[in-house]
Amino acid sequence: MVVQRETIVERDSLNPLITPGDVKPSHPDWEVLGVFNAGVAVCGDEVVLLLRVAERPRQTDSRYVVVPALDEQGSEMTTIKLDTRDPELDFSDPRVVRNRNGGTVCLTSISHLRVARSRDGRRFTIDDRPGLRPEGRMERWGIEDPRITLIDGRYYVAYSAVSDLGVAVGLASTSDFAEFRREGLILAPTNKDVVLFPERIGGHYYMLHRPVPDGIGSPDMWIARSPDLLHWGDHRFLMGTREGLWDNARIGAGCVPIKTDDGWLVLYHGADRRHRYCMGAALLDLDDPSRVIARLDEPLMEPEAEYETSGFFRHVVFACGAIREGDRIVMYYGASDDKMARATIDMRLLMKRLKTN
């Protein structure tokens, strides 16, 4: 079975394509911790990545952790100084600082979205400045994990809007990745991992999303529909975590669904209880995407390469975008929450495997 997976997915020989050292910080005294989980689009003759860039002030005193955030109005950048000797605080997770009860006090970095462009899809030129910055009360702790869908000639970017009020879903749009228009929040906390389908189905727009229940329920994948991309309803459960398999802790949408003759191909992420993130694949009905036709039991791709098993948050492959090129899919993915990589998927072999799973 391992041989079959390796035949379907081929990692790029230039991996990792983009690392933190390739990205200029937003402020001269800051450092970039990670560049990962990019949305992907083809714009003209270029491949465009909308990178998630996580950064923070350079740490100069090991007794303290200095974290950035917008002020309570969401307009000015501030910093918070936390004492690592404080017994009420837990610094064991490099991504967040928690209190004694496990509640999140703050993130260790703040993320914005940065544009990178390429003619060959492998070598990228990265803008010096953010394309989309966090802004407003609901983005105090940053904006993350964009997914780009081209709909009726305009690119729509669904992203996570993070604050002390929770993780909501924001929507922006652009025609050229030079200027962005904010469309507002489309889902309230806690929700994330939203991808929009690239066309109307039966007269409706569709999205995949991931509510995060607190108490009853688990982080599963849901589907919803809308008449205008802004107002969403008819929420339905789509796929859930699976006990005993690689995605037993949480799942969520990854890349924008790809239309095939056999259904909507969904490349999604899943994690186990050790926070090991892999990519999976499923197939949805073309006319009724709330119906799952097929789903792989084993991961399509799992962290194996050195750049996927070491880094800021190890053992993670996490994709937010892919491009179809004939019979292959070029998938861009974040590795270990700090770098970007790319893999090519043989679509015919993947579809065959889905049909026989």
Side-chain angles (χ1 to χ4, degrees):
M1 296 302 289
V2 172
V3 173
Q4 187 179 22
R5 272 205 308 277
E6 289 301 309
T7 304
I8 295 176
V9 178
E10 182 179 357
R11 289 167 172 81
D12 197 285
S13 61
L14 293 184
N15 282 348
L17 301 184
I18 304 173
T19 65
D22 299 320
V23 182
K24 186 176 181 179
S26 297
H27 307 276
D29 56 344
W30 283 30
E31 60 181 343
V32 174
L33 298 183
V35 50
F36 55 115
N37 298 0
V40 183
V42 174
C43 185
D45 59 355
E46 295 179 321
V47 174
V48 174
L49 299 183
L50 195 53
L51 305 162
R52 173 183 170 185
V53 175
E55 56 183 359
R56 67 176 183 180
R58 287 196 184 90
Q59 309 295 297
T60 58
D61 188 335
S62 60
R63 294 172 299 177
Y64 301 96
V65 171
V66 180
V67 300
L70 295 178
D71 61 19
E72 291 189 359
Q73 291 71 42
S75 56
E76 299 291 334
M77 189 66 70
T78 64
T79 58
I80 304 168
K81 191 174 184 180
L82 301 171
D83 192 331
T84 58
R85 298 159 295 184
D86 188 336
E88 298 296 321
L89 298 179
D90 176 5
F91 295 89
S92 61
D93 189 327
R95 304 168 300 175
V96 300
V97 178
R98 294 191 171 91
N99 60 28
R100 179 192 292 269
N101 300 321
T104 299
V105 176
C106 60
L107 305 187
T108 57
S109 63
I110 190 166
S111 294
H112 65 261
L113 307 183
R114 188 85 64 99
V115 174
R117 300 174 188 271
S118 173
R119 293 293 177 87
D120 67 2
R122 303 174 75 203
R123 300 167 180 84
F124 286 86
T125 301
I126 305 167
D127 287 358
D128 285 342
R129 309 300 301 168
L132 199 61
R133 297 176 182 274
E135 178 181 297
R137 179 68 179 87
M138 292 304 300
E139 298 178 3
R140 282 192 65 203
W141 291 3
I143 53 179
E144 305 176 355
D145 302 350
R147 275 87 170 186
I148 305 167
T149 306
L150 179 62
I151 303 175
D152 299 332
R154 191 166 180 83
Y155 300 96
Y156 288 87
V157 183
Y159 61 89
S160 295
V162 189
S163 76
D164 51 321
L165 297 177
V167 182
V169 178
L171 185 67
S173 68
T174 181
S175 61
D176 55 8
F177 294 93
E179 300 289 337
F180 291 86
R181 182 176 74 203
R182 289 177 181 273
E183 308 288 353
L185 289 185
I186 55 174
L187 291 177
T190 295
N191 210 311
K192 60 195 310 186
D193 297 326
V194 163
V195 298
L196 306 178
F197 283 69
E199 62 182 66
R200 295 186 194 221
I201 304 169
H204 298 278
Y205 297 105
Y206 277 83
M207 71 154 60
L208 303 177
H209 66 105
R210 206 280 291 285
V212 185
D214 183 11
I216 299 174
S218 60
D220 300 320
M221 197 185 304
W222 288 55
I223 190 167
R225 64 182 186 178
S226 166
D228 58 6
L229 290 173
L230 300 178
H231 303 86
W232 293 90
D234 194 22
H235 297 271
R236 281 172 281 176
F237 170 84
L238 183 67
M239 298 191 299
T241 57
R242 297 177 293 187
E243 194 60 43
L245 296 184
W246 59 277
D247 50 2
N248 61 8
R250 68 188 68 85
I251 64 170
C255 306
V256 172
I258 297 170
K259 191 175 187 179
T260 76
D261 292 339
D262 298 305
W264 291 100
L265 176 61
V266 173
L267 305 179
Y268 72 96
H269 71 268
D272 62 20
R273 295 190 178 91
R274 296 175 300 166
H275 306 293
R276 182 175 185 266
Y277 281 80
C278 303
M279 292 299 298
L283 201 60
L284 310 182
D285 186 87
L286 273 180
D287 299 320
D288 178 10
S290 68
R291 191 168 75 86
V292 179
I293 298 173
R295 182 180 179 186
L296 295 183
D297 288 335
E298 295 186 346
L300 171 66
M301 183 180 185
E302 51 192 319
E304 295 173 346
E306 186 276 337
Y307 50 84
E308 299 162 349
T309 58
S310 64
F312 183 75
F313 195 76
R314 298 176 298 169
H315 303 292
V316 173
V317 292
F318 188 105
C320 290
I323 298 169
R324 180 174 180 177
E325 295 180 349
D327 287 333
R328 69 176 195 166
I329 299 168
V330 178
M331 183 174 74
Y332 293 85
Y333 64 98
S336 292
D337 275 8
D338 63 2
K339 58 189 86 70
M340 280 301 303
R342 137 179 168 148
T344 301
I345 299 168
D346 187 313
M347 197 161 164
R348 288 177 298 182
L349 290 178
L350 173 56
M351 297 302 292
K352 180 180 178 182
R353 189 171 165 200
L354 275 164
K355 292 176 183 177
T356 57
N357 187 60

Tab-separated table of all heavy atoms in Angstrom, residues 297-325:
chain	number	residue	atom	x	y	z
A	297	ASP	N	-9.526	5.409	3.080
A	297	ASP	CA	-9.312	5.042	4.481
A	297	ASP	C	-7.924	5.483	4.954
A	297	ASP	O	-7.748	5.847	6.114
A	297	ASP	CB	-9.458	3.533	4.659
A	297	ASP	CG	-10.904	3.087	4.534
A	297	ASP	OD1	-11.798	3.920	4.784
A	297	ASP	OD2	-11.137	1.922	4.161
A	298	GLU	N	-6.952	5.398	4.049
A	298	GLU	CA	-5.589	5.778	4.400
A	298	GLU	C	-5.302	7.186	3.917
A	298	GLU	O	-5.935	7.679	2.982
A	298	GLU	CB	-4.600	4.792	3.760
A	298	GLU	CG	-4.731	3.383	4.290
A	298	GLU	CD	-3.639	2.476	3.747
A	298	GLU	OE1	-2.973	2.888	2.784
A	298	GLU	OE2	-3.468	1.387	4.293
A	299	PRO	N	-4.332	7.856	4.544
A	299	PRO	CA	-4.004	9.210	4.073
A	299	PRO	C	-3.451	9.194	2.657
A	299	PRO	O	-2.728	8.279	2.273
A	299	PRO	CB	-2.965	9.693	5.082
A	299	PRO	CG	-2.437	8.472	5.741
A	299	PRO	CD	-3.535	7.458	5.702
A	300	LEU	N	-3.803	10.223	1.910
A	300	LEU	CA	-3.214	10.402	0.585
A	300	LEU	C	-1.749	10.792	0.706
A	300	LEU	O	-0.909	10.368	-0.083
A	300	LEU	CB	-4.000	11.498	-0.169
A	300	LEU	CG	-3.413	11.986	-1.472
A	300	LEU	CD1	-3.432	10.883	-2.515
A	300	LEU	CD2	-4.176	13.215	-1.976
A	301	MET	N	-1.449	11.606	1.703
A	301	MET	CA	-0.079	12.075	1.910
A	301	MET	C	0.126	12.275	3.402
A	301	MET	O	-0.742	12.824	4.084
A	301	MET	CB	0.129	13.398	1.156
A	301	MET	CG	1.525	13.958	1.229
A	301	MET	SD	1.622	15.524	0.300
A	301	MET	CE	3.363	15.853	0.429
A	302	GLU	N	1.258	11.832	3.911
A	302	GLU	CA	1.556	11.995	5.327
A	302	GLU	C	2.967	12.537	5.500
A	302	GLU	O	3.797	12.403	4.590
A	302	GLU	CB	1.370	10.678	6.068
A	302	GLU	CG	2.085	9.499	5.469
A	302	GLU	CD	1.604	8.197	6.086
A	302	GLU	OE1	1.404	8.162	7.311
A	302	GLU	OE2	1.429	7.218	5.348
A	303	PRO	N	3.260	13.186	6.623
A	303	PRO	CA	4.593	13.773	6.801
A	303	PRO	C	5.676	12.706	6.853
A	303	PRO	O	5.658	11.849	7.732
A	303	PRO	CB	4.471	14.542	8.128
A	303	PRO	CG	3.275	13.975	8.805
A	303	PRO	CD	2.364	13.491	7.737
A	304	GLU	N	6.574	12.751	5.878
A	304	GLU	CA	7.653	11.780	5.786
A	304	GLU	C	9.005	12.443	5.545
A	304	GLU	O	10.013	12.024	6.103
A	304	GLU	CB	7.363	10.786	4.653
A	304	GLU	CG	6.146	9.917	4.871
A	304	GLU	CD	5.813	9.072	3.653
A	304	GLU	OE1	6.348	9.352	2.560
A	304	GLU	OE2	5.008	8.137	3.798
A	305	ALA	N	9.027	13.476	4.686
A	305	ALA	CA	10.287	14.139	4.366
A	305	ALA	C	10.801	14.898	5.596
A	305	ALA	O	10.023	15.287	6.473
A	305	ALA	CB	10.094	15.099	3.196
A	306	GLU	N	12.101	15.141	5.608
A	306	GLU	CA	12.700	15.815	6.761
A	306	GLU	C	12.059	17.166	7.026
A	306	GLU	O	11.823	17.550	8.180
A	306	GLU	CB	14.216	15.962	6.521
A	306	GLU	CG	14.994	16.517	7.706
A	306	GLU	CD	14.968	18.030	7.770
A	306	GLU	OE1	14.746	18.651	6.699
A	306	GLU	OE2	15.132	18.591	8.882
A	307	TYR	N	11.751	17.932	5.951
A	307	TYR	CA	11.159	19.254	6.138
A	307	TYR	C	9.697	19.182	6.584
A	307	TYR	O	9.113	20.203	6.944
A	307	TYR	CB	11.280	20.087	4.848
A	307	TYR	CG	10.817	19.386	3.596
A	307	TYR	CD1	9.475	19.380	3.230
A	307	TYR	CD2	11.721	18.720	2.777
A	307	TYR	CE1	9.055	18.730	2.089
A	307	TYR	CE2	11.316	18.060	1.640
A	307	TYR	CZ	9.972	18.072	1.284
A	307	TYR	OH	9.559	17.423	0.154
A	308	GLU	N	9.121	17.989	6.595
A	308	GLU	CA	7.761	17.804	7.089
A	308	GLU	C	7.723	17.256	8.520
A	308	GLU	O	6.691	17.355	9.194
A	308	GLU	CB	6.999	16.847	6.167
A	308	GLU	CG	6.871	17.343	4.741
A	308	GLU	CD	6.517	16.247	3.769
A	308	GLU	OE1	6.578	15.057	4.156
A	308	GLU	OE2	6.197	16.573	2.605
A	309	THR	N	8.827	16.679	8.942
A	309	THR	CA	8.865	16.059	10.275
A	309	THR	C	9.687	16.873	11.269
A	309	THR	O	9.806	16.486	12.427
A	309	THR	CB	9.444	14.636	10.191
A	309	THR	OG1	10.760	14.697	9.629
A	309	THR	CG2	8.564	13.751	9.330
A	310	SER	N	10.279	17.978	10.818
A	310	SER	CA	11.021	18.853	11.723
A	310	SER	C	10.674	20.289	11.383
A	310	SER	O	10.341	20.608	10.249
A	310	SER	CB	12.528	18.625	11.581
A	310	SER	OG	12.960	18.986	10.285
A	311	GLY	N	10.736	21.162	12.397
A	311	GLY	CA	10.402	22.557	12.167
A	311	GLY	C	9.628	23.132	13.341
A	311	GLY	O	9.665	22.594	14.453
A	312	PHE	N	8.893	24.194	13.074
A	312	PHE	CA	8.204	24.930	14.133
A	312	PHE	C	7.174	24.051	14.858
A	312	PHE	O	7.109	24.029	16.081
A	312	PHE	CB	7.511	26.153	13.517
A	312	PHE	CG	6.817	27.028	14.520
A	312	PHE	CD1	7.553	27.875	15.347
A	312	PHE	CD2	5.440	27.010	14.643
A	312	PHE	CE1	6.920	28.682	16.273
A	312	PHE	CE2	4.798	27.816	15.566
A	312	PHE	CZ	5.546	28.654	16.383
A	313	PHE	N	6.325	23.360	14.074
A	313	PHE	CA	5.360	22.409	14.650
A	313	PHE	C	5.431	21.149	13.792
A	313	PHE	O	4.894	21.092	12.692
A	313	PHE	CB	3.953	23.009	14.655
A	313	PHE	CG	2.996	22.263	15.534
A	313	PHE	CD1	3.047	22.398	16.912
A	313	PHE	CD2	2.044	21.416	14.991
A	313	PHE	CE1	2.171	21.694	17.732
A	313	PHE	CE2	1.160	20.720	15.796
A	313	PHE	CZ	1.228	20.858	17.172
A	314	ARG	N	6.097	20.136	14.284
A	314	ARG	CA	6.529	19.014	13.475
A	314	ARG	C	5.393	18.079	13.074
A	314	ARG	O	4.341	18.067	13.661
A	314	ARG	CB	7.592	18.225	14.235
A	314	ARG	CG	8.845	19.039	14.539
A	314	ARG	CD	9.824	18.230	15.367
A	314	ARG	NE	9.255	17.863	16.658
A	314	ARG	CZ	9.800	16.993	17.492
A	314	ARG	NH1	10.917	16.364	17.145
A	314	ARG	NH2	9.238	16.744	18.652
A	315	HIS	N	5.684	17.286	12.047
A	315	HIS	CA	4.789	16.232	11.568
A	315	HIS	C	3.467	16.810	11.032
A	315	HIS	O	2.371	16.395	11.434
A	315	HIS	CB	4.526	15.206	12.675
A	315	HIS	CG	5.761	14.575	13.215
A	315	HIS	ND1	6.545	13.709	12.466
A	315	HIS	CD2	6.399	14.721	14.410
A	315	HIS	CE1	7.585	13.326	13.188
A	315	HIS	NE2	7.532	13.929	14.367
A	316	VAL	N	3.618	17.792	10.138
A	316	VAL	CA	2.443	18.435	9.555
A	316	VAL	C	2.610	18.577	8.047
A	316	VAL	O	3.628	19.105	7.572
A	316	VAL	CB	2.216	19.840	10.157
A	316	VAL	CG1	1.083	20.551	9.415
A	316	VAL	CG2	1.891	19.745	11.641
A	317	VAL	N	1.638	18.086	7.292
A	317	VAL	CA	1.429	18.504	5.902
A	317	VAL	C	0.000	19.029	5.850
A	317	VAL	O	-0.937	18.370	6.291
A	317	VAL	CB	1.666	17.372	4.882
A	317	VAL	CG1	3.133	16.983	4.839
A	317	VAL	CG2	0.805	16.148	5.192
A	318	PHE	N	-0.159	20.252	5.306
A	318	PHE	CA	-1.459	20.938	5.409
A	318	PHE	C	-1.601	21.813	4.159
A	318	PHE	O	-0.864	22.786	3.983
A	318	PHE	CB	-1.472	21.801	6.669
A	318	PHE	CG	-2.802	22.422	7.009
A	318	PHE	CD1	-3.582	21.924	8.049
A	318	PHE	CD2	-3.286	23.524	6.302
A	318	PHE	CE1	-4.796	22.504	8.378
A	318	PHE	CE2	-4.503	24.103	6.623
A	318	PHE	CZ	-5.252	23.598	7.668
A	319	ALA	N	-2.536	21.470	3.287
A	319	ALA	CA	-2.693	22.191	2.015
A	319	ALA	C	-3.948	23.052	2.018
A	319	ALA	O	-4.995	22.647	2.522
A	319	ALA	CB	-2.751	21.211	0.859
A	320	CYS	N	-3.808	24.258	1.444
A	320	CYS	CA	-4.944	25.159	1.280
A	320	CYS	C	-5.253	25.417	-0.199
A	320	CYS	O	-6.195	26.148	-0.498
A	320	CYS	CB	-4.670	26.502	1.948
A	320	CYS	SG	-4.638	26.449	3.745
A	321	GLY	N	-4.455	24.857	-1.119
A	321	GLY	CA	-4.719	25.144	-2.516
A	321	GLY	C	-4.024	24.194	-3.457
A	321	GLY	O	-2.977	23.613	-3.131
A	322	ALA	N	-4.633	24.018	-4.636
A	322	ALA	CA	-4.076	23.142	-5.652
A	322	ALA	C	-4.531	23.633	-7.025
A	322	ALA	O	-5.532	24.339	-7.146
A	322	ALA	CB	-4.513	21.696	-5.427
A	323	ILE	N	-3.783	23.241	-8.042
A	323	ILE	CA	-4.099	23.610	-9.421
A	323	ILE	C	-4.189	22.332	-10.244
A	323	ILE	O	-3.311	21.465	-10.160
A	323	ILE	CB	-2.987	24.515	-10.004
A	323	ILE	CG1	-2.894	25.813	-9.208
A	323	ILE	CG2	-3.243	24.809	-11.475
A	323	ILE	CD1	-1.668	26.632	-9.549
A	324	ARG	N	-5.235	22.242	-11.046
A	324	ARG	CA	-5.336	21.087	-11.944
A	324	ARG	C	-4.625	21.403	-13.252
A	324	ARG	O	-4.866	22.445	-13.866
A	324	ARG	CB	-6.797	20.729	-12.209
A	324	ARG	CG	-6.945	19.533	-13.133
A	324	ARG	CD	-8.382	19.091	-13.293
A	324	ARG	NE	-8.460	17.937	-14.189
A	324	ARG	CZ	-9.587	17.295	-14.482
A	324	ARG	NH1	-10.732	17.694	-13.948
A	324	ARG	NH2	-9.577	16.267	-15.309
A	325	GLU	N	-3.753	20.496	-13.650
A	325	GLU	CA	-3.047	20.616	-14.922
A	325	GLU	C	-3.242	19.304	-15.678
A	325	GLU	O	-2.459	18.366	-15.532
A	325	GLU	CB	-1.558	20.903	-14.700
A	325	GLU	CG	-1.282	22.245	-14.040
A	325	GLU	CD	0.200	22.501	-13.828
A	325	GLU	OE1	0.996	21.549	-13.999
A	325	GLU	OE2	0.555	23.641	-13.495
